[in-house]
Amino acid sequence: MEKPNISYIEELSGGDESFKTKILDILKEEFPEEKKSYQTNLNSGNFELTADNVHKLKHKISILGLDKSYEIAVAYEDNLREGSTALSSEFESILQTITNYLENL
């Protein structure tokens, strides 16, 4: 499994530590809330809202340099819009990897 990194954030910041810190703080704040909303909607069987959650989360996946995981998220979002939860375990593994990473930053 690929590992999250902040290379893209460092590139965006152009060496501005304040900007980098601000982006990381936003990720640390928003990600757990979006993950919780995703899990709530998935558990309630509302696949359309779950797909919307995946759509938001996939941008964070991309920002953390997880290219293969981003592709899984794209496919999973499509699956959800078609009423299928195929790829849910792979996606949840990605979410856990990101959770662990952000908690240790």
Side-chain angles (χ1 to χ4, degrees), residues 9-80:
I9 295 169
E10 288 173 341
E11 183 181 322
L12 273 179
S13 73
D16 182 340
E17 287 298 315
S18 173
F19 179 79
K20 181 175 127 181
T21 299
K22 192 177 290 187
I23 295 295
L24 290 172
D25 287 346
I26 290 169
L27 278 172
K28 289 178 183 179
E29 180 182 330
E30 289 181 357
F31 181 79
E33 294 171 10
E34 290 177 10
K35 179 180 172 185
K36 183 178 178 184
S37 181
Y38 158 79
Q39 291 169 331
T40 299
N41 288 325
L42 180 64
N43 290 338
S44 71
N46 190 331
F47 295 160
E48 193 62 35
L49 285 179
T50 305
D52 291 343
N53 298 131
V54 171
H55 183 78
K56 287 181 183 178
L57 286 161
K58 75 181 181 186
H59 297 294
K60 288 173 177 57
I61 292 168
S62 177
I63 287 170
L64 290 170
L66 299 168
D67 297 332
K68 292 177 185 170
S69 297
Y70 179 85
E71 294 303 320
I72 291 170
V74 169
Y76 182 46
E77 180 184 355
D78 290 341
N79 289 349
L80 286 165

Side-chain angles (χ1 to χ4, degrees), residues 1-2 4 31 35 38-39 57 61 64 66 69 88-104:
M1 163 128 337
E2 29 178 14
F31 181 79
K35 179 180 172 185
Y38 158 79
Q39 291 169 331
L57 286 161
I61 292 168
L64 290 170
L66 299 168
S69 297
S88 65
S89 62
E90 290 90 338
F91 186 75
E92 289 176 23
S93 177
I94 294 164
L95 295 182
Q96 190 57 51
T97 298
I98 293 172
T99 297
N100 296 342
Y101 181 75
L102 292 176
E103 287 175 351
N104 292 309

